[in-house]
Amino acid sequence: MKRLLTFCVLGAMALTVMAQSAKLFTPYKTTNLRLPSVPLIVSDPYFSVWSPYDQLTDGTTRHWTNDEKPLEGLLRVDGKTYRWMGADRAILQSIVPMADEEAWEADYSRKSQQPAGWMKPDFAINDNWRRGKAAWGSPDLSFVRTHWSDLNSDLYVRRTIDLKASDLKEDLFMVYSHDDVFELYINGTKVADTGETWVEGVQLHLDAKLKGLLHEGRNVIAAHCHNTTGGAYTDFGLFKNISTSSASIETAKQKSVDVLATNTYYTFICGPVELDVVFTAPMLIDDYDLLSSPINYISYQVRATDGKEHDVQLMIAATPEMALNKVSQPTRSKLVENEWGGQQYVCTGTIDQPILAKKGDGICIDWGYFYIPAINGTVSLGKAADMRERFAATGSTKTMSIYECSTASSMPLLCYVHEFGKTRQAASFMMMGYDEVEDIEYMYKRYKGYWAHGGTVSIFQMFNRMNSQYQNIMQRCRDFDKLIYDDGLAAGNEHYAEILSAAYRHVIAAHKLFQDDQGNLLFFSKENNSNGCVNTVDLTYPEAPLFLCYNPELQKAMMTSIFDYSASGRWTKPFAAHDLGTYPIANGQVYGGDMPLEEAGNMLTLAAQLCKLDGNANYVRKYYGILETWANYLSENGQDPANQLCTDDFAGHWAHNANLSIKAIMGVAAFAEIARMMGFNDTADKYLARAREMGTKWEKDAREGDHYRLAFDRNNTWSQKYNMIWDKLWQTSVFPAGTMERDVKYYLKKQNKYGLPLDIRKDYTKNDWIMWTAAMASDKETFLKFVEPVYKFMDETESRVPTSDWYDTKTGRMVGFKARSVIGGFWMRVLEEKLK
């Protein structure tokens, strides 16, 4: 009887564990949105890994910059190995080296226009051409030997190479690095045309058709690069694939992918077993330790589909590229143990460790260390081909204690292996983390992320905490996924809920959370794929709805430093600063041009909304004098703006900008709201009356029949007037009744396949502003008419990057910007619902 009772209890426990496991690996809601790039491992602007593919095995996982950050996943079932993550990468050896191996020479010209046929083998060069050594580019960039960095300038290069018949039998790749617009030719035929991007080490596989452009003997490889702005670079070479792996690895069949706020769910078919994988970034918006944690979970479960037991092993691997900005940087990888529980880790980092030495856009971190702990499995380190072959043959890996390398082709694999053994169903998890050592510099002092509590918590302690609290954290993440999805569903529909679910990690991962030595909570964005500025105010403004909905303290954490910058006396202008520096160095504004009405209006408006949410003006009380100065500037200069920089000037700067005027007007109204909460009713009445006076004049000056102009003096124009949303949210009646409704009705006539253009001048748009504009609609049905084209863009765009916020509404192609925090603006409709 006792034995029977024991078996019953054990059986019940097993069923409970299986039920919990099934829940963990089942998304709260399945999603149909095909994201342009899927978040996998995300923490901050540096530790950020995505899959820009429909299938997780279609290619190498990447940083948002498009630099490769390879993650690899294998599952071995009854001796047969399946690849479920990453692609089989070529190991390249140079035939025609690039500048990191050799100071190769070629003919080049800086003349902006070249005769037809300049790229052909028989082209006769003239006096406009000279000899130079690679690479060409900005003098501060690696391996540049011929300087070229002029803005809006062109570079033409003709490189003559000699190939043997044996070379043409190899598996060939052209490899090139460029900044910005780049074209590559083989014997006069164009083989690459990049558009405006800047990428290092692009690999172009030469299939039979492309290889056929080459021949034995003399060949000419030619390149044209146009530098638009910022840095410039050109380098290229020819390589052969020397990969000799004999491992027989099949590709798993991907069954599904679902993306929710903190979790990405995949399911794969691996023969008689299905593999469930969940990538979790525990970015809980009310838990600052987890929000800032540089550690992510990868949970995994195997399930037999035939009811039988199977012998199963899982491998997840990474390379030192996780810790590199340039693949040519020397690295040291090693096995380490720590005193906190004696846990073993495999880790990697650059040998030089240039901590906080680099700043700018489009770069990856090259200081600090990437870690994989042996929690729930074993870790190992070794040559990539050897590790794969051994795992495929035995289900295990061998290891070295230390491994140094200086080329991409010799990089090791850092492996994690879980031995399931014979099983029908089993689950576990592993973790990956990145310790930046020092994360950010703010006003000439260096800080670690919030999670480290001033250096009192080590990366190993954080791993141990996340290990011990795994079940609790995963449940909280699941609950948060439900909150984000359900709020989107209530405010819109399933498509809107899926958009918000897909956007959450994207927004949070564009920030760094830390605390300064005065105890201030600071939450700094990086202006990804724009100019690299840190804590830019015109990112803080469009992204605000997400944080105003779920944690206004984080909104304050973006604004406090801007207020303090003015209060310190270092920023003395009568309007707010644009930024605090170039990420990760935040020592003061670096942007070359001010945005006076833009940033003053942004800060005042957000400050007023924060005070409304708090129910008092305590947050801004000590900044009241600064706010009054800014409000006066808006009152005096905002009715009819001069030719100022603003966030909508992509198609050029226009004076008399009507939407910028609205921002100024609402900034004046915002100050009135703040003054009233501080008990200064006379002041509040004065500024609200001024705002209404300005609003009435605005309506008269901007009106053009059934809509409102882009600029007061430009007939037959229109633009999105998203700044007017605050008049609706606050019910301040700054603008005459019917103004907002009139423009919204007009916008519906102007939509294209993928959304509403920003204004009449171009077909491109900003989808953050579309969501603000959509929230001006008086009903859900009209709101969703603006949302559906944005969903369609995300679902269909050819631009496979973390969602671009600036794209063409007819083609769906990215114009610029990716991985930026501004899509926090997608929550504007949710904010409106919560404020009700």
Side-chain angles (χ1 to χ4, degrees):
M1 185 68 179
K2 288 182 178 179
R3 290 183 64 192
L4 179 59
L5 180 61
T6 300
F7 287 142
C8 289
V9 170
L10 291 175
M13 290 174 62
L15 288 172
T16 300
V17 171
M18 289 178 66
Q20 291 175 340
S21 178
K23 182 179 179 182
L24 177 65
F25 291 95
T26 304
Y28 166 64
K29 293 288 185 181
T30 58
T31 59
N32 295 311
L33 177 60
R34 184 238 60 177
L35 277 178
S37 194
V38 177
L40 301 178
I41 304 293
V42 291
S43 174
D44 66 13
Y46 287 142
F47 192 34
S48 183
V49 184
W50 303 70
S51 174
Y53 310 103
D54 293 342
Q55 308 291 315
L56 191 52
T57 53
D58 279 353
T60 303
T61 55
R62 297 174 180 271
H63 188 257
W64 63 260
T65 58
N66 203 43
D67 284 7
E68 292 187 344
K69 301 293 177 184
L71 293 177
E72 187 170 347
L74 302 177
L75 190 75
R76 186 173 182 269
V77 182
D78 299 330
K80 190 172 185 177
T81 304
Y82 300 85
R83 182 186 302 280
W84 55 269
M85 177 167 62
D88 190 13
R89 302 175 75 204
I91 299 176
L92 301 183
Q93 185 180 83
S94 63
I95 296 175
V96 180
M98 293 176 68
D100 60 335
E101 290 187 60
E102 178 184 299
W104 59 270
E105 291 190 6
D107 297 315
Y108 76 97
S109 174
R110 293 283 310 280
K111 190 175 181 181
S112 60
Q113 296 292 329
Q114 293 294 328
W118 68 270
M119 76 295 291
K120 294 182 178 180
D122 58 357
F123 177 74
I125 62 173
N126 54 32
D127 292 342
N128 293 319
W129 292 75
R130 63 190 69 182
R131 295 291 285 178
K133 292 183 177 181
W136 287 258
S138 303
D140 58 332
L141 298 179
S142 299
F143 309 113
V144 168
R145 300 178 178 93
T146 305
H147 292 176
W148 161 61
S149 58
D150 298 343
L151 303 185
N152 290 313
S153 65
D154 293 88
L155 173 75
Y156 296 83
V157 179
R158 289 171 50 88
R159 183 178 188 181
T160 300
I161 63 174
D162 286 302
L163 297 177
K164 303 187 294 291
S166 58
D167 294 328
L168 299 176
K169 295 178 181 179
E170 301 286 353
D171 184 21
L172 297 180
F173 287 75
M174 287 296 306
V175 180
Y176 55 92
S177 301
H178 65 96
D179 185 356
D180 296 292
V181 185
F182 185 79
E183 299 170 326
L184 187 69
Y185 300 83
I186 297 178
N187 288 323
T189 298
K190 184 186 291 186
V191 297
D193 190 347
T194 68
E196 187 170 357
T197 59
W198 48 96
V199 186
E200 180 190 18
V202 179
Q203 297 179 6
L204 173 65
H205 183 233
L206 301 189
D207 57 19
K209 181 178 180 181
L210 293 179
K211 189 191 284 191
L213 299 174
L214 295 168
H215 50 257
E216 186 178 356
R218 178 180 179 273
N219 295 263
V220 173
I221 311 298
H224 168 220
C225 192
H226 176 77
N227 182 43
T228 55
T229 186
Y233 199 81
T234 293
D235 187 20
F236 53 90
L238 181 66
F239 292 73
K240 62 181 179 180
N241 180 13
I242 60 171
S243 177
T244 58
S245 176
S246 61
S248 176
I249 300 175
E250 290 193 16
T251 300
K253 180 180 180 182
Q254 184 174 305
K255 189 176 178 181
S256 63
V257 57
D258 300 280
V259 180
L260 293 174
T262 63
N263 292 292
T264 297
Y265 298 81
Y266 283 96
T267 295
F268 305 92
I269 299 173
C270 303
V273 167
E274 287 194 356
L275 170 67
D276 302 311
V277 182
V278 185
F279 296 88
T280 305
M283 294 172 160
L284 298 174
I285 203 163
D286 60 350
D287 186 324
Y288 298 148
D289 283 339
L290 291 178
L291 188 74
S292 64
S293 171
I295 298 168
N296 279 203
Y297 295 118
I298 303 178
S299 306
Y300 46 88
Q301 173 180 249
V302 293
R303 296 175 286 107
T305 56
D306 59 2
K308 299 177 182 179
E309 286 191 342
H310 295 277
D311 186 28
V312 182
Q313 299 84 34
L314 173 136
M315 185 177 92
I316 297 175
T319 79
E321 285 158 281
M322 285 290 188
L324 294 180
N325 182 44
K326 303 291 184 183
V327 293
S328 56
Q329 291 178 282
T331 60
R332 178 179 293 117
S333 305
K334 58 186 177 179
L335 292 176
V336 297
E337 289 190 8
N338 75 94
E339 68 275 19
W340 301 98
Q343 189 65 60
Q344 190 174 60
Y345 294 76
V346 62
C347 77
T348 190
T350 59
I351 292 175
D352 292 340
Q353 288 296 303
I355 297 174
L356 292 175
K358 290 183 176 65
K359 60 182 180 179
D361 193 12
I363 62 174
C364 297
I365 194 167
D366 60 2
W367 67 89
Y369 300 93
F370 171 75
Y371 290 91
I372 301 175
I375 295 171
N376 299 323
T378 60
V379 293
S380 54
L381 170 68
K383 293 181 179 179
D386 293 348
M387 301 294 266
R388 293 188 196 99
E389 288 177 14
R390 185 175 178 88
F391 179 79
T394 69
S396 64
T397 54
K398 58 183 179 180
T399 191
M400 302 177 176
S401 60
I402 192 166
Y403 191 115
E404 294 186 359
C405 70
S406 59
T407 63
S409 61
S410 63
M411 284 186 184
L413 276 185
L414 287 70
C415 294
Y416 168 91
V417 172
H418 183 101
E419 170 64 67
F420 286 105
K422 291 279 190 177
T423 187
R424 289 188 180 89
Q425 180 172 347
S428 190
F429 69 94
M430 60 90 69
M431 294 178 282
M432 292 182 174
Y434 202 106
D435 184 7
E436 296 183 15
V437 182
E438 290 178 333
D439 296 41
I440 200 158
E441 183 175 304
Y442 171 54
M443 295 306 163
Y444 304 99
K445 295 180 181 179
R446 292 184 171 187
Y447 298 95
K448 289 184 71 66
Y450 182 94
W451 65 272
H453 294 276
T456 62
V457 176
S458 73
I459 189 70
F460 305 114
Q461 289 171 295
M462 195 63 181
F463 270 116
N464 285 344
R465 177 196 164 183
M466 292 187 64
N467 177 37
S468 65
Q469 298 181 13
Y470 170 75
Q471 290 289 347
N472 174 265
I473 291 171
M474 290 298 290
Q475 183 58 51
R476 291 167 64 195
C477 287
R478 185 177 177 82
D479 293 342
F480 189 73
D481 290 354
K482 180 179 185 299
L483 174 66
I484 295 296
Y485 187 95
D486 286 352
D487 280 353
L489 185 62
N493 61 6
E494 291 86 353
H495 282 181
Y496 184 49
E498 290 185 17
I499 289 172
L500 298 187
S501 297
Y504 180 76
R505 275 174 287 168
H506 173 127
V507 177
I508 300 297
H511 296 82
K512 172 64 66 176
L513 181 69
F514 67 105
Q515 192 172 38
D516 71 7
D517 58 0
Q518 302 300 308
N520 293 311
L521 184 71
L522 300 172
F523 192 48
F524 285 1
S525 64
K526 178 178 180 180
E527 197 168 345
N528 291 339
N529 198 228
S530 180
N531 60 14
C533 280
V534 58
N535 206 34
T536 303
V537 174
D538 51 286
L539 268 67
T540 297
Y541 180 71
E543 70 176 299
L546 169 61
F547 303 102
L548 296 173
C549 282
Y550 300 110
N551 190 346
E553 295 305 310
L554 290 173
Q555 189 64 48
K556 294 175 185 176
M558 290 184 257
M559 298 169 62
T560 297
S561 57
I562 300 296
F563 283 129
D564 286 346
Y565 189 30
S566 285
S568 71
R570 291 190 58 206
W571 182 261
T572 59
K573 297 178 181 179
F575 45 80
H578 169 271
D579 62 82
L580 287 179
T582 302
Y583 193 91
I585 308 300
N587 292 329
Q589 178 169 312
V590 296
Y591 192 62
D594 294 327
M595 302 175 78
L597 296 175
E598 180 79 38
E599 310 303 22
N602 290 342
M603 289 291 289
L604 275 159
T605 302
L606 294 177
Q609 184 59 64
L610 285 168
C611 292
K612 286 175 172 290
L613 292 171
D614 286 347
N616 60 68
N618 292 342
Y619 170 61
V620 299
R621 191 172 299 277
K622 65 179 178 179
Y623 306 123
Y624 182 81
I626 294 170
L627 291 169
E628 185 175 31
T629 298
W630 293 350
N632 289 335
Y633 180 86
L634 297 179
S635 176
E636 295 166 8
N637 298 278
Q639 182 74 70
D640 186 10
N643 192 0
Q644 290 192 4
L645 286 171
C646 73
T647 196
D648 294 342
D649 53 17
F650 302 102
H653 312 314
W654 277 15
H656 320 295
N657 186 304
N659 190 44
L660 184 59
S661 177
I662 296 172
K663 180 166 289 186
I665 294 167
M666 290 312 303
V668 174
F671 183 69
E673 297 292 298
I674 293 168
R676 196 171 306 283
M677 278 184 277
M678 293 186 68
F680 305 147
N681 289 329
D682 289 345
T683 299
D685 291 343
K686 170 186 171 183
Y687 281 88
L688 182 58
R690 173 57 178 156
R692 287 173 174 166
E693 174 191 0
M694 295 172 77
T696 299
K697 179 172 173 53
W698 182 97
E699 199 281 336
K700 178 182 178 182
D701 293 347
R703 179 77 174 268
E704 190 168 50
D706 60 351
H707 68 282
Y708 297 93
R709 296 186 181 105
L710 163 61
F712 296 124
D713 63 336
R714 304 277 184 147
N715 295 330
N716 301 314
T717 62
W718 64 272
S719 65
Q720 293 187 43
K721 310 297 191 308
Y722 52 82
N723 287 310
M724 204 178 291
I725 184 64
W726 302 105
D727 198 28
K728 180 184 181 185
L729 299 185
W730 298 345
Q731 299 181 355
T732 38
S733 301
V734 167
F735 294 91
T739 302
M740 195 177 305
E741 293 81 358
R742 182 175 292 108
D743 238 21
V744 168
K745 184 178 180 180
Y746 183 80
Y747 297 149
L748 291 172
K749 305 175 186 177
K750 298 298 179 181
Q751 292 209 101
N752 292 324
K753 181 179 181 180
Y754 295 113
L756 177 68
L758 189 61
D759 59 48
I760 192 175
R761 292 177 291 181
K762 299 284 185 178
D763 290 327
Y764 54 59
T765 194
K766 295 283 277 77
N767 50 20
D768 51 333
W769 296 140
I770 288 180
M771 291 297 199
W772 282 48
T773 296
M776 289 161 47
S778 58
D779 58 82
K780 183 189 291 190
E781 181 182 358
T782 303
F783 165 74
L784 291 173
K785 289 179 180 178
F786 293 101
V787 171
E788 289 304 316
V790 175
Y791 183 96
K792 190 175 183 66
F793 157 70
M794 295 173 70
D795 194 58
E796 297 180 359
T797 179
E798 300 172 9
S799 302
R800 303 307 296 265
V801 300
T803 302
S804 172
D805 56 282
W806 181 18
Y807 64 89
D808 190 289
T809 59
K810 289 184 176 178
T811 67
R813 296 192 188 99
M814 166 185 166
V815 175
F817 301 162
K818 58 184 174 181
R820 300 205 318 159
S821 64
V822 298
I823 66 172
F826 288 2
W827 273 265
M828 182 55 88
R829 171 76 177 184
V830 178
L831 176 63
E832 180 185 4
E833 292 298 304
K834 289 184 178 294
L835 292 179
K836 288 180 181 178

